[in-house]
Amino acid sequence: MRRAEPWLALAGALALVAVAWAAPWLRFILTLALAKGIAVLGILLLLRAGQVSFGHAMYAAVGAYVVAFAAPSMGDVLVLLPMAMLTAGAIGLVIGLFITRYREIFFSMLNLALSMVLYSLLEKFYAITKGSDGIRVAPLSIAGMPMDGPMAGWVMFGTALTVAACFWWVARQYLISPMGEALAAIKTRETRLEFLGVSARGVLLVAYVLSAIMAGAAGAIIAMTSRHVTPLLAYWTSSGELVFIAILGGAGGVLGPFLGAVTYELIRVYAAAAFADIWQMALGLALLAVILFAPGGVWGVIAGLLRRARAT
Amino acid sequence: MSAAQRDDSVLLEARGLRLAFGGVKAADGIDLSVRRGEFLAIIGPNGAGKTTFINMTTGYLRPQGGSIHYDGEEITGLAPRAIVKRGIGRSFQLPQLFTEHTVLQNAALAIAARRGVWHPFAPLLSMSVIDEARELLNRFGLDGIRDSRADSLNEGARKLADIAMATALRPRLLLMDEPTSGVAASEKMAVVETLARVLREAEVTAVFVEHDMDVVERFSDRVAVWSQGRILALGPPGEVLRDPDVLREVIGVAAVDPSAASGAGPSREGAPDA
Amino acid sequence: MITWFDENGLLLGLALLDGLAYAALVFMVSVGLNLVFGVLRVLNVAHGSFYAIGAYAAASLGGMAGLPVWASLPVLLLAAVLVGLVLGPVIERILLRRIYAEEPVIQLLVTFALFMILEDAQKLVWGVQPVSNDVAVRWLGTVDVPFAGDVIPFTKYQLFLLPGVALATLVGLAWFLRRTLTGRVIVAVTVDREAATAMGIDAKKVFLLTFTAGAVLAALGGALASPTTSLVPGIGAQTIVLSFAVIATAGLGQIEGAALTALLIGLGRSVAVYFAPELEVVVPYIIMVAVLLVRPQGLFGAAEARRV
């Protein structure tokens, strides 16, 4: 499976490019899907340690607002993206130092609580953030060249695909490294890890900061693509969406988040109009269905089919 | 302890250790010196405080009184990680394996823990780690099941894998909590032979809690008899195991019902028993 | 010379009175969450939705045409009990019972999914426009509260009824858990589930009972809150994180501790409402984080054996 993964990834990337080419109206959707996939990759790292964050959209919001605030003075994609990642990572480090003392419900709920705090700050400090109206992102450039029209769409799509590919590689290497394997050890026998002389908190902190950086990159891409940021980016429903995609994509593979995100966004485009009022409800029901009946998610279903195909 | 008093033949020195859970005194003034290179067996009825002694020595529990010195340095109340770094390893009554990993990965994680775990991009199963891990598993006779998941092993293999992980850290002192409990009677002596050979080769000092008197008799240099948080007797197995007081207090119980004494008591998975 | 107190004294008095009323509501919800977690070992993320649905149900039942004014109060209670008695058992039977043996992360995800479902269900039934019905508050009228040589007119509903109900809940619950057989059974399950089950206690029945009680308490909190505020989507989410903040700050499994902490957080929040409105939502979490940094087990929680 692991050996086939790079080829699957390549095939998937080519398929995305082909679809974006053939159906330009989907390019925007696919860019957002890739961005969300990056954030979900971070959720996946934490799930590997048996921890689920109900508040990770806050780091996406941090990345997005960094873009919105900095765009007027230095609106270059190549500057804004690293800046958003660094800021999200730094905030992730500070919060992580506190939050990695906790596991399970405390871990989940403290993340949720902190994201609600960020949401309400973004909403209440109108003078700085324009409250729930949000901020329009100033015109952007890439490597000094101004971006406009259809070209901007392609640039953002390409950026999202490149960043996604980089983080896919990072996560893939990280998860088979001693630190990545130690994450799964936190889930099964944290005590033993400590008796091996390894700081479980340190192991979790690294994953937490990495996940914050990933969400920050995702938020920056979303802001640069949609050119509008609002506090809703930090709202619990956005965090819930990330968790939902993580479970939908399945916790097994590193491609899962992207598979899940693309599936999710495409369904949303066509179904959200029909189910606008009960979208969260539909997500909740689907989440229950996946957890109770298909714990491997979409990725698990595909992996199962592949195994069966190879066996016959 | 002052340098003048220091006795170089002593590796671990416990003085007046006290710890009570509610009204139960798990350690009621424990004095014990472990000599370099010896195999010291701890015997006694369930609830006598044997595991508590290991938990205090390895930093899992903090004693309410008394002190522990290791190699001349006070380690009382240090965190487990700090104690491990000083060369004290432990294995568990309920093997603490990473159940979602294979035996090889478990061993590799222990080796990586010794070498330094903080390499985000080098695979855990690099050639050099695999070589050392296989060599380690080979010594414990576990190489044949290296690709099995840790939660699929039988009890004997789990015990050995657990101890193998502790020895991967190359400790100078190894504390083992009932290394043979749960191991089938037919395998028991083979397991202990393997264990003793590996530990002697690596010049590891060993303290082990044991209920099987045959194992104690054959493999310990000295025996400490625990009873209600105190040490009742201490000496060579030939003497201690023939002491009438000891026989009445400890061995009488074991002789009547060996299965009850083999540590199959109720215990939660995950945390070492207090 | 005019001191700070001369200028802001009345505001402070109002903040304290508001805080007391608010704390009473917060206590009602968080004690339910705490009870359910203690017995089932499942943190019900959808607990806040019971509060929200209880509030909406009370507002609509109370707003029915032709209802005599004196009936507004009993209707609140009736709405809460109905919501709790319907939602509690149904959810425990259909959903929670399947996941008691699962990993914590699965349990969290399942109740989170439930939370997503209930949030939309509530929007579907009551819409997104603010709903309010303050008949009960107006019916009880106001009273002049002397404060620092002045008087503050304050509603009797918030001054007497809310703290009174909360106090009755506190005393009643403590009595129930410590003095009655059923209560002791519940406590036994909390302390040691395996031993309690081994002694022949029917854990299934205890779980069902406890979860329903928790749902009723949350719905009651919402119903009592409904006449004092206008209801908008999102109160469920706010309520669950706030009640979690209370029980995390107090320490899991504490009843009296949860009451004191609710008071602390309630007062803190309402002082913020009057003096630093931007920080209103933030204050409870600042209190929580500050407490947890100093005492990871919470203000009243017993210190566990060292987490290695």
Side-chain angles (χ1 to χ4, degrees):
Chain A
M1 193 80 258
R2 192 178 153 77
R3 215 168 302 155
E5 213 184 69
W7 299 108
L8 282 174
L10 190 64
L14 288 176
L16 286 184
V17 173
V19 171
W21 186 270
W25 70 90
L26 280 180
R27 200 175 47 214
F28 177 75
I29 307 295
L30 292 179
T31 310
L32 293 186
L34 283 166
K36 282 183 187 169
I38 296 168
V40 173
L41 204 51
I43 301 277
L44 186 83
L45 298 184
L46 299 172
L47 275 174
R48 189 88 172 126
Q51 311 303 320
V52 50
S53 165
F54 290 147
H56 250 52
M58 73 177 138
Y59 296 111
V62 166
Y65 273 86
V66 165
V67 166
F69 288 138
S73 50
M74 40 189 143
D76 201 288
V77 173
L78 299 182
V79 177
L80 291 174
L81 197 57
M83 206 153 86
M85 282 158 56
L86 274 179
T87 313
I91 295 177
L93 178 64
V94 174
I95 293 181
L97 280 172
F98 169 68
I99 245 170
T100 52
R101 293 161 77 160
Y102 300 95
R103 301 287 177 276
E104 295 162 4
I105 56 164
F106 271 76
F107 184 89
S108 301
M109 296 305 289
L110 289 175
N111 272 302
L112 178 59
L114 290 171
S115 75
M116 302 277 286
V117 166
L118 180 67
Y119 170 77
S120 78
L121 290 179
L122 290 174
E123 213 184 22
K124 295 273 164 89
F125 282 88
Y126 188 87
I128 308 168
T129 64
K130 300 222 175 62
S132 51
D133 299 345
I135 306 175
R136 265 204 75 70
V137 175
L140 302 166
S141 63
I142 180 155
M145 288 179 294
M147 285 159 49
D148 43 27
M151 182 265 205
W154 275 112
V155 168
M156 285 322 300
F157 178 74
T159 308
L161 196 57
T162 313
V163 175
C166 290
F167 276 128
W168 168 75
W169 183 83
V170 166
R172 192 175 138 85
Q173 292 303 311
Y174 173 74
L175 282 177
I176 59 160
S177 77
M179 283 161 85
E181 295 285 6
L183 277 181
I186 289 181
K187 183 175 165 189
T188 49
R189 283 287 184 271
E190 181 167 345
T191 321
R192 183 49 177 268
L193 209 52
E194 292 282 334
F195 278 110
L196 289 177
V198 176
S199 160
R201 203 178 149 193
V203 168
L204 189 56
L205 181 61
V206 172
Y208 191 83
V209 172
L210 199 53
S211 72
I213 292 174
M214 288 172 172
I221 293 172
I222 291 171
M224 293 188 290
T225 306
S226 66
R227 302 283 304 282
H228 189 221
V229 302
T230 68
L232 269 182
L233 285 164
Y235 199 55
W236 70 265
T237 52
S238 308
S239 295
E241 203 175 82
L242 298 180
V243 172
F244 173 77
I245 296 173
I247 302 302
L248 184 70
V254 186
L255 278 181
F258 298 103
L259 204 60
V262 170
T263 314
Y264 173 79
E265 285 295 315
L266 288 178
I267 292 175
R268 199 171 75 140
V269 170
Y270 292 104
F275 301 108
D277 297 333
I278 54 163
W279 184 239
Q280 296 295 333
M281 184 187 279
L283 288 190
L285 289 170
L287 190 53
L288 283 183
V290 173
I291 293 172
L292 297 177
F293 305 114
V298 175
W299 176 256
V301 170
I302 290 179
L305 288 177
L306 282 179
R307 258 196 308 278
R308 213 170 302 159
R310 204 167 300 161
T312 51
Chain B
M1 180 195 300
S2 72
Q5 282 176 282
R6 206 167 119 186
D7 178 355
D8 272 344
S9 69
V10 171
L11 185 59
L12 185 84
E13 173 101 39
R15 283 278 161 262
L17 286 184
R18 281 187 294 101
L19 181 62
F21 301 106
V24 182
K25 287 176 178 168
D28 188 15
I30 296 286
D31 295 308
L32 182 65
S33 302
V34 180
R35 299 177 192 151
R36 279 173 208 277
E38 77 172 332
F39 284 8
L40 176 78
I42 296 179
I43 64 173
N46 285 327
K50 306 183 297 295
T51 301
T52 301
F53 174 73
I54 292 186
N55 280 339
M56 288 190 295
T57 309
T58 52
Y60 191 74
L61 293 173
R62 185 191 289 268
Q64 287 155 345
S67 69
I68 306 171
H69 284 77
Y70 172 72
D71 210 6
E73 181 196 6
E74 169 146 22
I75 57 165
T76 325
L78 289 182
R81 247 187 302 138
I83 290 177
V84 168
K85 294 281 185 216
R86 285 165 170 73
I88 300 182
R90 79 171 288 185
S91 72
F92 300 82
Q93 184 187 351
L94 295 168
Q96 301 280 301
L97 305 177
F98 302 127
T99 45
E100 289 186 2
H101 286 111
T102 64
V103 174
L104 185 71
Q105 284 173 321
N106 270 273
L109 265 167
I111 291 163
R114 187 191 78 232
R115 294 187 182 182
V117 78
W118 309 105
H119 305 293
F121 297 116
L124 168 69
L125 293 178
S126 65
M127 279 335 276
S128 77
V129 173
I130 290 183
D131 286 346
E132 190 186 330
R134 290 197 55 181
E135 202 257 327
L136 175 73
L137 295 177
N138 227 342
R139 257 186 288 149
F140 281 88
L142 294 169
D143 201 39
I145 51 162
R146 64 175 183 274
D147 292 325
S148 307
R149 253 175 69 132
D151 52 5
S152 71
L153 308 181
N154 67 37
E155 187 65 15
R158 296 205 308 150
K159 284 276 180 189
L160 279 179
D162 189 67
I163 298 169
M165 285 174 81
T167 58
L169 302 173
R170 300 198 180 142
R172 285 186 295 148
L173 171 64
L174 181 61
L175 300 139
M176 291 176 287
D177 199 351
E178 306 197 14
T180 69
S181 74
V183 178
S186 54
E187 304 173 36
K188 197 175 255 182
M189 279 305 160
V191 166
V192 185
E193 302 263 7
T194 309
L195 197 55
R197 180 170 44 76
V198 173
L199 296 180
R200 294 263 189 236
E201 272 170 21
E203 297 181 347
V204 177
T205 307
V207 174
F208 61 106
V209 173
E210 185 55 67
H211 283 293
D212 186 320
M213 292 309 135
D214 292 339
V215 173
V216 172
E217 181 111 43
R218 261 175 80 179
F219 293 98
S220 68
D221 301 312
R222 287 196 300 160
V223 182
V225 184
W226 243 252
S227 174
Q228 297 177 1
R230 293 168 169 278
I231 297 181
L232 196 69
L234 176 67
E239 285 171 25
V240 170
L241 299 182
R242 277 154 198 79
D243 181 331
D245 282 347
V246 172
L247 283 174
R248 195 172 344 91
E249 179 74 20
V250 185
I251 306 178
V253 181
V256 171
D257 184 4
S259 67
S262 65
S267 33
R268 265 170 305 149
E269 261 201 298
D273 280 6
Chain C
M1 205 185 97
I2 297 170
T3 64
W4 178 90
F5 194 81
D6 291 331
E7 276 189 41
N8 297 297
L10 279 183
L11 226 45
L12 183 67
L14 207 52
L16 293 179
L17 293 175
D18 257 3
L20 182 68
Y22 184 67
L25 295 171
V26 170
F27 168 73
M28 300 290 293
V29 206
S30 41
V31 80
L33 184 69
N34 208 347
L35 187 67
V36 170
F37 177 76
V39 176
L40 280 67
R41 309 270 166 83
V42 173
L43 187 91
N44 178 21
V45 182
H47 191 74
S49 308
F50 296 154
Y51 173 92
I53 293 174
Y56 274 108
S60 4
L61 267 187
M64 281 188 311
L67 200 68
V69 184
W70 60 263
S72 57
L73 264 181
V75 159
L76 289 183
L77 302 182
L78 185 71
V81 171
L82 276 180
V83 167
L85 284 186
V86 171
L87 285 182
V90 168
I91 289 169
E92 203 275 341
R93 284 266 161 116
I94 295 180
L95 209 53
L96 294 187
R97 195 157 282 188
R98 293 167 183 268
I99 58 163
Y100 288 135
E102 296 283 349
E103 295 171 31
V105 60
I106 300 290
Q107 298 176 335
L108 275 165
L109 286 168
V110 165
T111 62
F112 188 74
L114 180 64
F115 167 54
M116 291 169 104
I117 296 168
L118 290 180
E119 284 291 292
D120 266 5
Q122 161 214 318
K123 273 192 241 167
L124 219 53
V125 177
W126 287 285
V128 293
Q129 295 306 317
V131 171
S132 65
N133 172 24
D134 60 351
V135 176
V137 172
R138 279 186 282 123
W139 178 57
L140 283 179
T142 61
V143 62
D144 286 337
V145 182
F147 183 82
D150 221 325
V151 289
I152 303 173
F154 202 71
T155 66
K156 286 180 187 161
Y157 184 87
Q158 283 171 292
L159 186 65
F160 300 120
L161 189 84
L162 292 185
V165 173
L167 200 63
T169 307
L170 172 64
V171 174
L173 206 57
W175 173 82
F176 171 73
L177 289 178
R178 280 160 210 166
R179 294 274 179 269
T180 67
L181 185 62
T182 320
R184 286 182 178 183
V185 166
I186 289 177
V187 173
V189 174
T190 314
V191 174
D192 190 337
R193 187 189 293 183
E194 287 75 23
T197 328
M199 281 161 56
I201 287 172
D202 184 358
K204 272 188 182 172
K205 219 166 103 190
V206 173
F207 288 2
L208 181 66
L209 185 77
T210 309
F211 190 77
T212 308
V216 169
L217 282 170
L220 191 57
L224 289 170
S226 66
T228 67
T229 176
S230 69
L231 308 173
V232 287
I235 53 173
Q238 276 173 30
T239 306
I240 179 62
V241 288
L242 189 68
S243 5
F244 177 76
V246 169
I247 66 173
T249 310
L252 294 171
Q254 296 290 314
I255 298 180
E256 285 87 352
L260 287 174
T261 307
L263 200 59
L264 180 74
I265 284 182
L267 289 176
R269 200 195 86 135
S270 62
V271 168
V273 168
Y274 286 93
F275 296 99
E278 300 85 8
L279 297 180
E280 174 200 333
V281 184
V282 184
V283 165
Y285 307 109
I286 294 178
I287 296 175
M288 170 182 74
V289 170
V291 166
L292 289 182
L293 280 176
V294 184
R295 279 181 68 88
Q297 74 275 29
L299 282 176
F300 306 96
E304 283 176 53
R306 171 150 86 198
R307 255 205 91 102
V308 288

